[in-house]
Amino acid sequence: MSGETQTQTQTQTQSQSEAEQGPLASWTRGVIADPGRRSLLYRALFYAITIFFLVTTLFPFYWLLVLALTPNNLILGGGWDLPFLRPQGFNPQAFVEVFEQLPFHLYVFNSFVLATMTTIIVIVIASLAGYVFGRLEFPGRGPLMLAILMVSYFPPAAFLIPLFEAFTGNPVVAPFIDVELFTPPRLVNTPGAMVLPFSALFLPLSIFILTTFYAQIPDGLEDAARVEGTTRLGALFRVIMPLSAPGVATAAVLTFIAVYNEYFFSSIMALGNEPQQWSPLVGGLLQYQSLYSTEFNLMAAASIVGVLPVVILVVVAQERIVSGLTAGALKE
């Protein structure tokens, strides 16, 4: 009898506790206790979150397509059926006019070349630095790594004035003694004026990513390569980098996308926004906007054309990117 009384008391106490917690807490407890309901809830949350991110991510691209297909006079004239989010009229000619009004393909080419050059420089230097920080022991490794990461904390505008002074070919004068030390080459309106700052700005992140990956490679693999006569540099490029391909691909794609979309430094270092002066993609988009009018449909069509290389790159390398971003968080 005492056992039954104790059980009844526990049941009453549990019922009273559930009543005090409210219906939401009781429902949550029931879902957690039932495997079938729990699985259904997880599946519903997954689909809800996936649909939310798909809508918020793909809607800007759909909106660009709507703007590109809508004649510009309807956009400016107010005769546009906005609530239905669909183009009024059909004007695919905008994708042809993008290249007829100005050589937009040259702007895309400039951004692609600048991003490719920067990515190659960043990956080579970051691989060497990542090998040193990830696989070698030396005094001051932690503070030096922190100092490198601190570069990414500074806003790019902090480096603009000194870099512009250096890239315009002004002579460098020693302070206090007024003696000309040297005259740097004029790099304004050349790829060097943009590739060098881009490389310095995006190196810290790539070094951090590759350091994490290179540190996870077993020492025995590198030792076996060294026994076969390979140098440390040969082991890096023949053994460590291939085994860290997801990390290398992640660093390369992130650098490429960041440089491809960059405009702050390019607008200063490429004076005039002309394609012959290595003005990038965004500089070409702004050419469709004048003092008195803005060709919204052409800007939208040009944005779609300009984003296609990055979309293709991400689609091709998406498996490497996902595995690289997740594998860096695992420790064996």
Side-chain angles (χ1 to χ4, degrees):
M1 293 295 293
S2 60
E4 294 179 358
T5 304
Q6 185 177 2
T7 302
Q8 292 177 357
T9 304
Q10 292 177 352
T11 303
Q12 293 176 357
T13 304
Q14 183 178 1
S15 301
Q16 183 179 2
S17 176
E18 292 179 356
E20 293 177 353
Q21 290 177 354
L24 180 59
S26 302
W27 178 82
T28 305
R29 186 187 299 274
V31 170
I32 295 176
D34 187 355
R37 295 173 62 187
R38 185 170 63 246
S39 176
L40 182 62
L41 176 62
Y42 290 163
R43 190 178 298 110
L45 290 176
F46 170 76
Y47 285 119
I49 294 175
T50 302
I51 292 173
F52 172 78
F53 278 105
L54 284 177
V55 170
T56 56
T57 303
L58 297 180
F59 178 76
F61 295 101
Y62 170 75
W63 190 245
L64 282 176
L65 183 61
V66 170
L67 288 174
L69 296 178
T70 302
N72 197 59
N73 59 344
L74 294 180
I75 298 177
L76 297 176
W80 194 20
D81 192 6
L82 181 62
F84 295 97
L85 301 178
R86 59 185 178 87
Q88 295 299 303
F90 186 71
N91 183 31
Q93 184 67 20
F95 291 94
V96 178
E97 295 178 9
V98 163
F99 300 97
E100 291 179 347
Q101 288 200 9
L102 57 97
F104 186 73
H105 60 284
L106 295 181
Y107 291 98
V108 178
F109 176 78
N110 292 343
S111 292
F112 187 84
V113 171
L114 293 174
T116 303
M117 293 174 61
T118 304
T119 301
I120 294 174
I121 294 174
V122 167
I123 292 302
V124 171
I125 299 178
S127 296
L128 298 175
Y131 178 85
V132 172
F133 284 109
R135 306 194 62 82
L136 301 180
E137 295 286 345
F138 58 91
R141 183 177 64 172
L144 184 58
M145 184 67 180
L146 181 61
I148 293 176
L149 292 176
M150 286 177 60
V151 176
S152 61
Y153 300 157
F154 290 94
F159 309 103
L160 181 59
I161 295 178
L163 287 176
F164 183 79
E165 290 291 331
F167 293 157
T168 50
N170 295 324
V172 177
V173 180
F176 306 113
I177 58 177
D178 196 19
V179 175
E180 182 178 333
L181 299 178
F182 64 94
T183 301
R186 181 179 176 85
L187 297 179
V188 173
N189 296 333
T190 65
M194 288 163 274
V195 170
L196 294 178
F198 294 161
S199 301
L201 290 174
F202 300 117
L203 259 176
L205 177 61
S206 297
I207 291 175
F208 179 77
I209 293 174
L210 296 183
T211 298
T212 304
F213 276 86
Y214 292 171
Q216 297 177 357
I217 302 299
D219 295 335
L221 296 177
E222 183 181 0
D223 295 338
R226 297 286 303 279
V227 169
E228 295 295 330
T230 304
T231 62
R232 285 188 179 273
L233 195 61
L236 169 63
F237 290 102
R238 296 178 182 177
V239 178
I240 297 176
M241 287 187 67
L243 293 176
S244 303
V248 177
T250 301
V253 172
L254 292 178
T255 302
F256 185 92
I257 294 176
V259 177
Y260 190 84
N261 296 329
E262 205 281 334
Y263 181 66
F264 178 75
F265 270 100
S266 304
S267 62
I268 305 299
M269 301 303 175
L271 304 177
N273 281 342
E274 296 295 333
Q276 297 81 7
Q277 300 170 344
W278 288 93
S279 180
L281 173 66
V282 183
L285 294 177
L286 295 178
Q287 296 300 308
Y288 299 106
Q289 180 180 7
S290 63
L291 183 61
Y292 302 103
S293 64
T294 301
E295 299 289 342
F296 291 104
N297 60 336
L298 296 186
M299 293 183 71
S303 299
I304 295 175
V305 173
V307 82
L308 286 180
V310 177
V311 172
I312 296 173
L313 175 64
V314 173
V315 170
V316 172
Q318 61 178 340
E319 183 177 352
R320 294 287 189 180
I321 297 173
V322 173
S323 60
L325 292 175
T326 54
L330 301 178
K331 185 177 181 60
E332 298 181 355

